[in-house]
Amino acid sequence: MVFFQTHGLTGPTTFLYHHVNDLQFPLHFHVAYECILVHEGMISVDMNDTTYNVSKEQLIFIHSHQVHRITSEHHSKVTIVLFSTDFISDFDQQYKERLATSPVISYSALPKIEKLQTVYHQKAFLYDVLSRLISQTNFIEKKATMNTTLLHDLLLYVDNHYDKDCSLKRAATILDYDYTYVSQAFKQMTSLSFTDYLNQYRVSQAINKLTHSELTISEISRQCGYETLRTFNRNFLKYTNMTASDYRKQYTAS
């Protein structure tokens, strides 16, 4: 099992992509828009109270700030593309307050993202995606309820505080909510306790650092908010079924 979370965009006009195997990630959102292309296997994406199954040679389009969860029941090989709103400014202006009801797009053969080496090729790919999306789906207005706003705020709190002392009680105080209500609402919306979610998120960030930096495991443990290496190791093994050292070796070998 692999958790993955790409980090924030580096500039106003940014196009990032990552190839990932066996993608798993709990509820989260991006400021950027996102496309996930499935090359092998199948992933499930939960968003808008709906589960979308995305199979080989399919792509799913995810709106900016759209809360979603990704799971791979078996092996999967995907490419994640994150891009800033500047790439599709006309679409963003017209549809930023609306959501696609059928965001999964089928291809006879998915584009090879690594070959999109100029901004013109990248925009051509994105506008082709949007053309296909608009021709096949309806769009509905975003509905912001108190619970969805609360969830958005809590996920943002974790993103900003996972690397330090991070607790639901502190989040409830900062957000001016009753702790008991927040605890029950979070469990209802995510099917996870706040502690479970926080540990999954921390492990996902640790994986990113293991595979994209030369930091030691002890340094990564501290940067992901763990006070002791023992606690980090226990949680890493729990969510990935391997040690951090073995995970790094496996990634390097591949």
Side-chain angles (χ1 to χ4, degrees):
M1 180 180 292
V2 176
F3 295 98
F4 176 84
Q5 165 73 341
T6 46
H7 293 280
L9 298 179
T10 57
T13 304
T14 306
F15 183 97
L16 303 175
Y17 68 89
H18 303 266
H19 302 303
V20 185
N21 293 334
D22 305 333
L23 176 63
Q24 306 273 357
F25 202 79
L27 285 174
H28 65 289
F29 67 91
H30 309 281
V31 175
Y33 283 89
E34 180 179 13
C35 291
I36 305 177
L37 296 75
V38 178
H39 306 291
E40 296 178 9
M42 183 181 76
I43 64 171
S44 296
V45 181
D46 296 318
M47 57 186 185
N48 308 335
D49 298 320
T50 303
T51 298
Y52 298 96
N53 293 321
V54 192
S55 302
K56 182 178 179 180
E57 306 300 349
Q58 289 186 321
L59 170 158
I60 186 166
F61 181 87
I62 301 171
H63 288 256
S64 170
H65 290 278
Q66 189 169 12
V67 175
H68 57 288
R69 169 175 37 220
I70 308 165
T71 56
S72 298
E73 187 171 343
H74 302 292
H75 170 70
S76 66
K77 184 176 181 180
V78 309
T79 300
I80 296 176
V81 180
L82 288 173
F83 52 96
S84 55
T85 58
D86 287 30
F87 272 86
I88 54 170
S89 55
D90 292 342
F91 176 89
D92 182 63
Q93 286 296 316
Q94 186 172 354
Y95 292 98
K96 63 182 176 181
E97 298 302 328
R98 302 160 72 185
L99 299 173
T101 57
S102 301
V104 179
I105 302 170
S106 297
Y107 285 76
S108 56
L110 286 170
K112 295 187 181 299
I113 302 301
E114 59 272 15
K115 291 188 176 181
L116 307 179
Q117 297 183 355
T118 72
V119 67
Y120 305 108
H121 292 99
Q122 293 162 359
K123 285 189 174 183
F125 159 69
L126 294 175
Y127 274 90
D128 177 69
V129 169
L130 296 178
S131 176
R132 292 169 183 257
L133 183 71
I134 291 170
S135 67
Q136 75 170 37
T137 189
N138 295 317
F139 289 84
I140 58 173
E141 296 294 325
K142 290 182 180 179
K143 295 181 180 179
T145 66
M146 185 171 72
N147 275 356
T148 58
T149 300
L150 171 60
L151 179 60
H152 190 281
D153 290 344
L154 288 172
L155 297 184
L156 186 60
Y157 171 82
V158 171
D159 186 58
N160 290 332
H161 296 85
Y162 76 92
D163 58 342
K164 52 184 77 73
D165 187 13
C166 183
S167 71
L168 187 58
K169 285 187 177 180
R170 184 169 284 102
T173 299
I174 292 173
L175 299 174
D176 196 24
Y177 280 94
D178 175 74
Y179 168 75
T180 301
Y181 170 76
V182 169
S183 178
Q184 293 174 346
F186 189 87
K187 182 67 177 290
Q188 181 181 19
M189 289 184 287
T190 67
S191 300
L192 294 169
S193 69
F194 183 82
T195 300
D196 282 339
Y197 177 83
L198 175 61
N199 280 320
Q200 287 189 20
Y201 194 90
R202 282 173 165 168
V203 168
S204 75
Q205 302 304 331
I207 285 174
N208 187 70
K209 295 176 188 295
L210 281 168
T211 56
H212 293 88
S213 79
E214 296 183 358
L215 294 169
T216 67
I217 292 175
S218 293
E219 289 171 330
I220 290 171
S221 170
R222 289 193 296 271
Q223 289 188 12
C224 290
Y226 287 102
E227 294 184 356
T228 68
L229 184 59
R230 181 178 181 180
T231 303
F232 169 78
N233 286 335
R234 183 175 67 249
N235 279 289
F236 196 95
L237 182 63
K238 175 181 178 181
Y239 294 115
T240 67
N241 295 319
M242 65 177 69
T243 66
S245 178
D246 286 343
Y247 188 94
R248 175 172 265 173
K249 289 177 182 176
Q250 177 177 286
Y251 179 85
T252 302
S254 63

